[in-house]
Amino acid sequence: MPLTLEQQADADDWETFRRTERMADHWWWRPGWRPDRHYLTWYLIFHNQALTDHVAGFQRELADLDYLDPVPVDGLHMTVQGVAFADEMPPDQVAALGKAADEQCAGIEPFTLTAGPIAAYPGGTFLRAAPWAPVAELRTRLRAAISTVLGPDRVPDEPARFKPHISVTYCNATPPAAEVIGRLTKLRQRPSIRLPVASVDLLELRRDRHAYRWDIRHHIDFTA
């Protein structure tokens, strides 16, 4: 049986990571970011005990690697679509974006993803999510809402490579990648779990030491 799009991407990316020589520091300051600056972005936020337990199991297996920062239990998320730095959008524009997103997302039904297998890139480890289609459809609608409020030229390609995933750890240094490759080769055999998705949130995101924290600016339930 041929691989699905998601399975092929996972296989290809895993082969790429297996050839990686060194990890990378996820926490470098990207253009425009600084400690006192926040970013508006759309996330799926997960408060799901099965996912919490699943992620915790992987984090325990990697806990002795002090260059991997575990994602906090209350920080499990999937990035869907970035918007803009918070200081670039006055409150009325944020409110307008929420209203536009409500209109665009009307009719979206709750959906279910699979989370797994665990995978990695130089900046950390994560759970693959599949299928991509419902998240891609949500992203398309949120991009349309941003375009309505800010104009089509201000819709960011963020994340630049859209491959839905849930981060497990972030790397804080640049050690050789061999240990992570070895650990994950075994951990990738663990079965995936099913994960219900019933809402999306507009967040004001900030970096707090080696973790992402946020305040919710708008919430949308999928109720069709």
Side-chain angles (χ1 to χ4, degrees), residues 128-162:
R128 293 283 183 188
W132 292 354
V135 190
E137 173 63 22
L138 173 61
R139 175 178 162 91
T140 295
R141 296 192 189 202
L142 294 173
R143 290 175 64 83
I146 298 169
S147 179
T148 297
V149 175
L150 299 182
D153 294 339
R154 291 184 60 189
V155 181
D157 290 324
E158 170 62 36
R161 295 189 306 159
F162 183 63

Side-chain angles (χ1 to χ4, degrees), residues 34 36-38 40 84-90:
R34 58 178 185 262
D36 63 342
R37 203 175 195 203
H38 301 172
L40 294 169
F85 284 104
D87 56 15
E88 297 174 341
M89 289 187 66

